[in-house]
Structures are given as structure tokens and as C-alpha cells.
Amino acid sequence: MPSWYRLPRRRELGCVLMANLLALIASWGLNAWLALADLSLVFLSAVLACAVLASGHAAVLSALVGFVTFNFFFTEPRYSLLVSEREQLLTLCFFLLVALVVGRVAGESRRRMQALGAARLAEERERLRSALLASVSHDLRTPLASIIGAASSLRALDAQLSPADRRELLDSVLGESQRLDRYIQNLLDMTRLGHGELKIERDWVSLDDMVGSARRRLASALEGVALLQRWPAGSLPLLYVHPALIEQVLVNVLENAARFSPPGGTLEMSAATDETASHMIIALTDQGPGIDPTMREKVFEMFYTGDGSPHGSGLGLAICKGMVSAHGGEIAAEAGPEGRGTTMVIRLPLRPYTAPSGAGYDA
């Protein structure tokens, strides 16, 4: 059976009744100032509303309901389906004809827009899937290959290895395992962000504790650089945040800064409250090549890795943005001092933040 001859769904029926009730109320209020033909445009608006909010089927049904309602309440004799004047009968006929055509056209346009949106969504999902597979193929397989290689050497050459060589191989296994764990954690976090399942379970915590924990997790990644903390210990107010999530933000920005800093370079981290004492501002400056001003927003997009750099999955900063935003904060990439390197600036509110309704976060 063609879709136009099916029974209306509950949502469509509700939309039709509500739209025509509102049109009736509006027309009743405007009846003293508008001619009959002008009042028909109010009911025509109800048809368009049903086409946009429900479906083309609802729009056609709204045209029929509007025709009966318009005839019953506004043509002479009133409160009857009879029409005594020829001009009013013509107005009714033209209204029904135009409403049916407009309803069908608007409904078809809505259907096509939905189909186009679905096609674009499918295309975007396919693009993300391809990017994810490319990321997994490199960022997960590379540490796995290193782990397998080191473990194989330990098993096959155990008798020939010196204690120093054996320790070096074990350190390689541990470091690559930790690196693999961070990649997997990033993938899981991005999945939770994408599905709106990230739970914000807040607690009072000091920045010193979170930075200390992040440094311990990144001990191997930070070996080649010096990290300087530019604030006195215990001088900052406590943050009311999800400790694990903000710690993950710090891990991601620190690892990213260390990756792009030269061997023997220095990372400088500063923290302070703003002038109104409403936010804590955390800044991390590296000595890397910097980020082009036109790319400073793009680096927070999923799977963006700059100029095709083989390092990183392109998820770390995207996750940082999602986690900081869930707390009501902001993160931005700025030029380093004197135009050298990059400064990542994180602003976190010191007052509790409630996520907007429907944002998918639980505060």
C-alpha cells in the first residue's frame, strides 16, 4: 500500500491536531482584521509546520483538517459545513488545492533532505572509519611490533644477553606497553565522548597531585626533556573536577609537547587563577616547531595529525577538548614566547559547572 494511504502515526496525528489548533486560535484572534483569504494563510502555515516537523503524510492530513476547520468556523453560515457564498467556496477550494500541493512538495523536500543528511552522515562515518583504521594500523601495530621484537629477542638470545641488554629490552617492552595503553585509552575515551556516555563524577583535587600523577605515567616519554613547574607547591586553589579525566588531559598535552620538542628541550608549565578568580589557567609551553595560526583550531579535530606526521593518532587533543568542554572549560593552542614553540592554554572553572540539558554529560 502506498505511504500516502496509510493510517497516520501517533506523532503525525499529534502534530496535525496541535498545528491546526494553534492556527484556529490565531485565526480567531485575527478574524476582525483580516479577510477570509488572508486567514487561510494561517492554516496554510499549519500545513507547512506539519511537513517540516512530521512528514508529507502529516502535511496532507493537515490540509484536510484545516479545510474542514476553516470551513466550519469562518465561512458563512458559521459552525456548519455548508457554504452560502460563491466567493467563499472558491476561497475554500483554492485553499485546499494549494494546501495539498504545498504539503506534498514540502513533505517531499523534507524526505529528500533527510536522505541527503543520511548520505552525508554515512559518508562522514566512512571517512572516520577509514581514518580510525589507518590510525590503528600504525599507532597500535607499531608498539605491538616493538613489544614482539623485544620479547622475541629475550626468548631467543637470553643466554647471550648481558644484564644491561636484558634490562634495555625489558624497558622497551614496558615503555611500548604503556604507549599502547595510552592509545587504547584515547580510543575508548573518544568512543565515550561520541556516544555522550562520559560521566563527570567530580571531586576536590589539587593540580599538583594531577600533574604528579601524569608525570609518573609519562616517565619514559618525558625522559628526553625537562619539565619545569612555574608555581609554588600548594599555592593554588583546589579544582572541582573529575580527577581521572583532567589527569588524562594533562597526560595528552604533556605527551604531545614532549613528542614535538627537541632532545634535551624544556617544557614549562604555569598555573594561576584569572583576575576574577573564577577560572584556573594552566599553560604548557614547548620548544617545538610551533603550529601555523591557520591550523590552531584544526589540531583539536579528530584524526588530525598536522602535515601527515606519522606520530600520534590525532585523537589526543580532540579528547582534551571534549573533556575540558564537559567541565565548562576551554582549551586553545597559542604561539609560544617570542613566536617559538606552542603554548597549550587550559581554562577550568573554579565554580561547579552544570552541563547543558541534552549534552550527554552527567554532572
Side-chain angles (χ1 to χ4, degrees):
M1 179 183 293
S3 61
W4 294 106
Y5 299 100
R6 63 173 172 79
L7 292 175
R9 300 185 180 94
R10 183 177 299 179
R11 179 174 179 272
E12 293 173 332
L13 189 58
C15 185
V16 169
L17 294 177
M18 181 59 68
N20 280 276
L21 177 60
L22 293 175
L24 175 60
I25 294 172
S27 298
W28 199 271
L30 297 171
N31 186 35
W33 294 279
L34 296 180
L36 188 67
D38 296 327
L39 288 178
S40 68
L41 297 178
V42 179
F43 285 91
L44 190 61
S45 300
V47 175
L48 288 172
C50 290
V52 173
L53 298 176
S55 66
H57 188 76
V60 172
L61 182 60
S62 179
L64 297 175
V65 171
F67 171 79
V68 174
T69 305
F70 186 44
N71 183 11
F72 187 81
F73 285 99
F74 297 103
T75 62
E76 298 294 340
R78 294 199 177 194
Y79 313 116
S80 169
L81 296 180
L82 298 177
V83 181
S84 60
E85 298 181 12
R86 181 178 302 176
E87 291 79 4
Q88 293 186 352
L89 179 62
L90 288 175
T91 299
L92 279 173
C93 291
F94 277 117
F95 164 75
L96 181 60
L97 177 62
V98 172
L100 288 173
V101 172
V102 168
R104 289 292 299 270
V105 171
E108 184 65 19
S109 298
R110 180 178 187 272
R111 188 187 65 80
R112 290 181 179 179
M113 289 298 294
Q114 288 178 329
L116 180 60
R120 288 178 176 173
L121 180 61
E123 181 181 352
E124 180 67 13
R125 286 178 175 172
E126 179 61 25
R127 186 186 70 82
L128 292 178
R129 187 183 71 86
S130 299
L132 179 59
L133 288 176
S135 171
V136 169
S137 66
H138 178 272
D139 296 317
L140 299 187
R141 290 181 63 185
T142 299
L144 275 176
S146 299
I147 293 169
I148 293 171
S152 299
S153 298
L154 282 169
R155 186 177 67 175
L157 304 174
D158 183 65
Q160 292 89 355
L161 293 174
S162 67
D165 292 335
R166 191 177 292 108
R167 181 176 180 82
E168 183 179 350
L169 288 172
L170 288 172
D171 286 343
S172 175
V173 170
L174 179 60
E176 292 300 321
S177 298
Q178 292 171 338
R179 178 183 171 195
L180 183 61
D181 178 68
R182 290 194 295 272
Y183 284 143
I184 293 173
Q185 184 62 47
N186 280 343
L187 289 172
L188 293 175
D189 288 340
M190 184 53 68
T191 300
R192 292 162 63 200
L193 281 169
H195 288 84
E197 297 174 355
L198 194 65
K199 301 296 182 181
I200 307 299
E201 299 174 357
R202 298 173 183 271
D203 198 2
W204 294 101
V205 62
S206 72
L207 179 63
D208 299 88
D209 290 342
M210 289 188 292
V211 172
S213 181
R215 294 183 71 159
R216 287 190 293 273
R217 289 173 57 185
L218 291 171
S220 59
L222 296 175
E223 281 183 352
V225 296
L227 175 58
L228 304 180
Q229 294 181 211
R230 300 297 191 185
W231 70 88
S235 63
L236 298 172
L238 296 179
L239 288 165
Y240 188 58
V241 296
H242 191 306
L245 297 185
I246 298 303
E247 180 184 314
Q248 187 63 43
V249 171
L250 296 174
V251 166
N252 287 355
V253 295
L254 280 169
E255 184 181 23
N256 205 57
R259 181 187 303 128
F260 290 100
S261 290
T266 300
L267 306 180
E268 294 191 23
M269 178 178 283
S270 63
T273 57
D274 63 4
E275 295 178 355
T276 61
S278 61
H279 288 77
M280 182 181 293
I281 302 175
I282 306 165
L284 176 65
T285 300
D286 62 41
Q287 295 178 331
I291 302 173
D292 187 276
T294 60
M295 295 291 105
R296 288 176 188 161
E297 289 289 333
K298 198 171 182 63
V299 294
F300 295 100
E301 296 179 4
M302 282 194 297
F303 304 114
Y304 179 78
T305 57
D307 55 353
S309 169
H311 304 291
S313 59
L315 289 175
L317 291 180
I319 290 170
C320 290
K321 183 175 182 179
M323 290 180 172
V324 171
S325 297
H327 285 81
E330 299 174 348
I331 182 170
E334 300 179 359
E338 300 179 358
R340 296 179 55 195
T342 300
T343 298
M344 284 290 170
V345 180
I346 303 169
R347 290 174 54 89
L348 290 172
L350 292 174
R351 294 188 294 266
Y353 168 77
T354 301
S357 175
Y361 304 113
D362 181 12

